[in-house]
Each structure stands twice: as structure tokens, then as C-alpha cells.
Amino acid sequence: MLIGFVILYLVISIGVGMYAATRVHTARDYVVAGRHLPIYIVTATVFATWFGSETVLGIPATFLNEGLHGIVSDPFGSSMCLILVGLFFARKLYRMNLLTLTDYYRKRYGRKVEVITGVAIIISYLGWVSAQMTALGLVFNILSQGVITQTQGTLIGAAIVLLYTLYGGMWSVALTDFFQMSIIVVGLLYILYVASDMAGGLGHVVQHAAQKGQFNFWPEANSKDVIAFIAAWITMMFGSIPQQDVFQRVMSAKSENIAVAGSVMGGSFYFFFAFVPLTIAYSATLIDPGLVSGLLDKDSQMILPQLILNHMPVFAQIMFFGALLSAIMSTASGTLLAPAVTFSENIIKPYLPHHNDKTLLLTMRVVVVGFAAIVTTFALYSNATIYQMVENAYKITLVVAFVPLVSGLYWQRACKQGAYLSIALGLAVWLPMEIWLPEGATLLPPQFAGFLASVIGMIVGSLAPRHVGGRHAQHRHGDPSFD
């Protein structure tokens, strides 16, 4: 019965996605749904940006091991990212009528910066999308009781997500997100009710967690712990702002007011609802302590699935796995589409011999297939946990893309020279530290050091004299003509 309902759910999801594909006629329809989405769908799709496998499987596992202190990057940093996008970025970017976020870098700083930031953004999606494919493989393996291997499950899940994303683009992402968010909310709230009741009541679960110190959030009062805490927070909070999937979801709104409100509401809802799977996971420690202790060191991502399968009725299992698949697929579809359209629009398009709208749309679909193959391969061979894949995804965009974006929007003196130096210093500091220094070897984590270097590069580069037209000149009022 459980497998039958899961198959039915997958068929409905594909049907919704394929129906959405009938609305795609242009590249703009494919990338930003023609800017036609109402507030309730924008809120749903923004919420679905982050509510994926890591929220249901990765974050709860980390919370059980490290408490709130261990999940500062997600949901605290990730939800603040969405709220900050709504408050400080959505209105300005919406008015520019861009197709991709990387178009902004070209308009503000030129073609070279567009390519560099575009490549950085594309690379950042490798771990993020792979985490969703890994989770799909895990779910199919569990549901089939091992008949479907995790490798086979990953391939099946990738094929399903690819199918409706390939044809419907952002329209499919948006409509399936709305359908899937409904399943997530209903399913996880029901599981929370059942699990907390089995554990002695919600109040008892919260009180027990507090007594065990699970709610300790702030770091120890020493410089190393404080800096590591800040670095983890800003990696997701700032590093995930210059992301195409966030941009697409917000820019698909009918109006700039809807773009702002949908982003803030979606981010706020994500923050509060992310605590539902955390509470369910902690309930597991009271329902079956042996199960939890046995899986904590072995494979903590399996705690929630095994709790549901071992202790709950079939209806609860249907609701949980429906919600889990919804969370994974809603995130996977958007994050699969985002790097593909960035690569097509900002890297390939200038080299197309006849880059009309029809050719660009076809190119985007071909690239979606190629990127799906790459991330699926990465998922099959990576040994990182789902949470680690997601947490590491945004280091490169933090040190390469964030500072030029903020500076270009809010500092008139920011210029091409400043962007070049910002990117160069950010990479020059972060990359060697990330590759060659063992974790914890320095006071500053690599991505935090790279971020600070990026800030310094932008300031120094934008204020320094530059050679323009055979003479030295200062950048004035952010006028691109001086670049």
C-alpha cells in the first residue's frame, strides 16, 4: 500500500509538471514563468527553495548530534537569506527586468565579470542538486526494502525530476512546488502530532530537549568559536543570495510588491516550519533510544525514516514519505533548472550563431539534460553527507559573487576594477586555504577569510585610480562609461 501511494504521488507530480509545460512558449516563460505568478505560489516556491532533503533528513541528524549550535547555517542562515533577498534585493532587481541573475553582473561590470560569476554560481549547484539526488536514492532504497539499490533509486529519482523540469521549466517548478508544499505541511504536521504523542506529548519533548542542552545556540566566549559560528552563518545567509534559483523564484512574481512579500513570507515560513522535523527527530530519542543511538554514528540521516517504518501505521508512513519526496523534488527541480539556464544565457548564448528565442529555449533544455547527468554522477560517487553537500555549496558564491552584487546595487563608486580585485582576492585567499589547510588549522575559516578579502578588494579596487582612455581617472557616481 505504501509503495502504491508513493507511485501514485509521483505520477500526479509528473502530471502537474507536464501540464505546466503547456504554458511555456518563450525563454522567459521557461526561466521566470513569464512573470505571472501570484503571491501564494511565489510564497510556496520560495519556501520550497530550501525545504529539501537536508531539512527533513540532514538538519535533524545534525541537531541530534550538536544541538541548535550545529545548525546555524540552516535553517538560521538560509531563512535569513530569503528574508534579506525580499527586503534589500527583490525590488531593485525586479525593476531591471533581467532573465538571469548573472545578467546583472554583465550590465553592471561587463562580460568578463558575467562569465566569472556565472561559472561560480553554476559550480555552487553541484553539491546542492547532488544532495537532492542522493536523498531520492535513499528514499527509494528504503521504500523498496533494499530491492532498489541506492544507486538505482538515485537514477530513477533524477529521471523523474528531469522529465517535468525539462519541458516545463519554471512553470513546472512553481506549480509542482505549490502542490508539493501542501503535502509537506499536512504530512509533517500529522507526523509531528503522532510522534510527539508517542513520546509523551509535545511539551514533554521540548522540556526534555531543553534539559539535555539541545537548545544551546550561541558559541563559547572565545575568538575561535565565535568566528567559526559567524562564518557558518554568513556562508548560507550571504553566499546563497547570489543564486539563480532564488532569483528565478522571486522574479517570477506578477509585481515587485509580490516579489518582496513572497520572499519575506516564504523565508519566514521556512524558518518556523524547519523546526517540525527537528521536533520529530528528537521525539525519536524518547520513542526508541536504541534505534537513535545505533544510527547516530553509523548513519544519522536514517533516523527519521526508520522511526516511521518501525513505529508508525501505514497511513503515517504514506504521509511522511509523501512529504519527504515532496520536499526533495521541489528543491531538486528548481536547483536543476537554475544552473542550466545560467550556463545557457550567460555562457553559451553569445556564441550561438542565431540566438533567437527559440534557439535559446532549445539550448536551455539540452543543458538541463547535461547538468542532470553531471550532478547525478557526482551524487553516485560522493561520500559527503546530505548536510555537508548543502553547507559547502555556497562557499564559492560567498567569496566570488556576493560582494560585487551588493556593492553594485548599493555603492555608486563600485566599478569593474573593484569587481575584478574583489573576485581575485576572494579566490586567492579562500581556495588555497580550502584545499591545503586542515579543518580548524586557522582562526579564520577559509570562506570567511575569502569573504573579507573580497570586501577589501572591492573597496581598494573601486577607490584606486584607474587608467581610462590614456589617462588616470577616478570612477564617478558608478557610471559604467568610466569602466
Side-chain angles (χ1 to χ4, degrees):
M1 184 181 294
L2 173 59
I3 295 175
F5 271 99
V6 168
I7 292 173
L8 176 63
Y9 165 77
L10 293 173
V11 170
I12 294 173
S13 293
I14 293 172
V16 172
M18 296 307 289
Y19 164 74
T22 62
R23 301 191 178 199
V24 176
H25 306 290
T26 67
R28 184 165 291 273
D29 290 336
Y30 195 73
V31 178
V32 289
R35 286 192 160 191
H36 291 313
L37 300 185
I39 181 67
Y40 61 94
I41 293 186
V42 174
T43 301
T45 196
V46 168
F47 167 82
T49 305
W50 298 135
F51 208 98
S53 59
E54 73 292 343
T55 315
V56 182
L57 300 177
I59 297 175
T62 305
F63 172 72
L64 292 180
N65 278 308
E66 303 177 35
L68 283 184
H69 178 76
I71 58 172
V72 59
S73 61
D74 192 6
F76 291 92
S78 54
S79 58
M80 278 304 302
C81 156
L82 298 174
I83 293 170
L84 291 175
V85 165
L87 294 177
F88 299 105
F89 296 88
R91 197 176 300 277
K92 285 177 175 287
L93 292 173
Y94 193 92
R95 291 174 180 174
M96 296 180 71
N97 198 29
L98 307 169
L99 190 61
T100 68
L101 178 61
T102 315
D103 286 343
Y104 168 80
Y105 294 98
R106 181 184 69 250
K107 288 191 173 186
R108 187 65 174 84
Y109 301 112
R111 171 66 178 162
K112 291 180 181 178
V113 175
E114 173 195 18
V115 172
I116 296 169
T117 54
V119 170
I121 289 171
I122 291 166
I123 291 173
S124 73
Y125 280 99
L126 184 62
W128 178 248
V129 190
S130 297
Q132 312 313 312
M133 301 308 180
T134 298
L136 284 171
L138 181 67
V139 171
F140 287 126
N141 175 253
I142 294 170
L143 288 174
S144 67
Q145 297 182 340
V147 175
I148 299 175
T149 66
Q150 184 158 343
T151 296
Q152 293 169 338
T154 299
L155 294 172
I156 292 169
I160 293 171
V161 172
L162 173 62
L163 180 62
Y164 66 78
T165 306
L166 174 64
Y167 291 103
M170 191 60 204
W171 268 116
S172 288
V173 170
L175 295 189
T176 54
D177 278 355
F178 182 71
F179 165 68
Q180 289 161 347
M181 193 190 81
S182 303
I183 303 296
I184 291 169
V185 172
V186 174
L188 288 184
L189 286 178
Y190 174 74
I191 295 298
L192 174 64
Y193 168 76
V194 174
S196 59
D197 184 63
M198 293 175 66
L202 184 59
H204 176 65
V205 173
V206 174
Q207 183 181 24
H208 193 277
Q211 290 173 349
K212 291 292 185 178
Q214 292 295 121
F215 297 146
N216 292 338
F217 178 68
W218 300 108
E220 297 291 331
N222 61 74
S223 57
K224 186 172 184 178
D225 285 350
V226 170
I227 292 174
F229 180 86
I230 294 172
W233 197 329
I234 69 169
T235 298
M236 284 288 282
M237 182 168 60
F238 292 163
S240 52
I241 286 176
Q243 288 292 327
Q244 176 63 21
D245 63 316
V246 176
F247 172 85
Q248 282 179 215
R249 285 172 155 102
V250 175
M251 295 303 116
S252 299
K254 279 185 176 181
S255 68
E256 64 181 66
N257 288 334
I258 290 177
V260 172
S263 184
V264 173
M265 290 168 61
S268 301
F269 186 40
Y270 171 76
F271 175 76
F272 290 109
F273 203 78
F275 285 90
V276 172
L278 294 185
T279 308
I280 297 171
Y282 196 81
S283 299
T285 65
L286 302 177
I287 297 170
D288 192 342
L291 171 72
V292 175
S293 61
L295 289 173
L296 271 178
D297 294 327
K298 183 181 177 183
D299 189 358
S300 55
Q301 296 170 158
M302 291 290 292
I303 290 173
L304 275 185
Q306 290 301 326
L307 170 73
I308 305 301
L309 289 173
N310 294 340
H311 293 280
M312 295 195 179
V314 173
F315 180 72
Q317 294 174 16
I318 292 171
M319 296 301 287
F320 173 77
F321 284 102
L324 178 57
L325 283 170
S326 295
I328 298 168
M329 292 173 66
S330 63
T331 300
S333 57
T335 51
L336 176 61
L337 180 65
V341 300
T342 299
F343 188 73
S344 303
E345 165 73 8
N346 302 109
I347 308 297
I348 296 180
K349 180 180 174 180
Y351 301 103
L352 294 176
H354 305 290
H355 53 78
N356 55 38
D357 194 79
K358 185 177 180 180
T359 304
L360 180 60
L361 181 57
L362 176 62
T363 302
M364 287 178 177
R365 285 175 167 153
V366 171
V367 175
V368 166
V369 175
F371 195 77
I374 292 170
V375 297
T376 303
T377 303
F378 184 83
L380 294 176
Y381 291 99
S382 175
N383 294 320
T385 67
I386 292 170
Y387 190 80
Q388 287 170 337
M389 286 185 190
V390 172
E391 192 175 34
N392 292 332
Y394 300 111
K395 292 179 179 179
I396 188 170
T397 44
L398 176 67
V399 303
V400 170
F402 176 71
V403 173
L405 175 63
V406 177
S407 301
L409 289 174
Y410 285 98
W411 189 33
Q412 288 186 335
R413 295 290 295 272
C415 64
K416 185 186 298 185
Q417 178 174 281
Y420 285 156
L421 192 57
S422 174
I423 293 169
L425 286 183
L427 283 173
V429 171
W430 166 67
L431 205 54
M433 292 179 67
E434 187 73 32
I435 294 173
W436 289 301
L437 290 181
E439 186 176 350
T442 60
L443 182 63
L444 293 178
Q447 75 273 19
F448 191 41
F451 166 68
L452 295 178
S454 178
V455 173
I456 293 170
M458 176 58 75
I459 294 172
V460 172
S462 296
L463 295 180
R466 289 172 297 116
H467 194 72
V468 179
R471 69 185 188 279
H472 286 282
Q474 284 284 3
H475 183 73
R476 299 174 188 174
H477 307 300
D479 185 351
S481 65
F482 278 84
D483 293 330

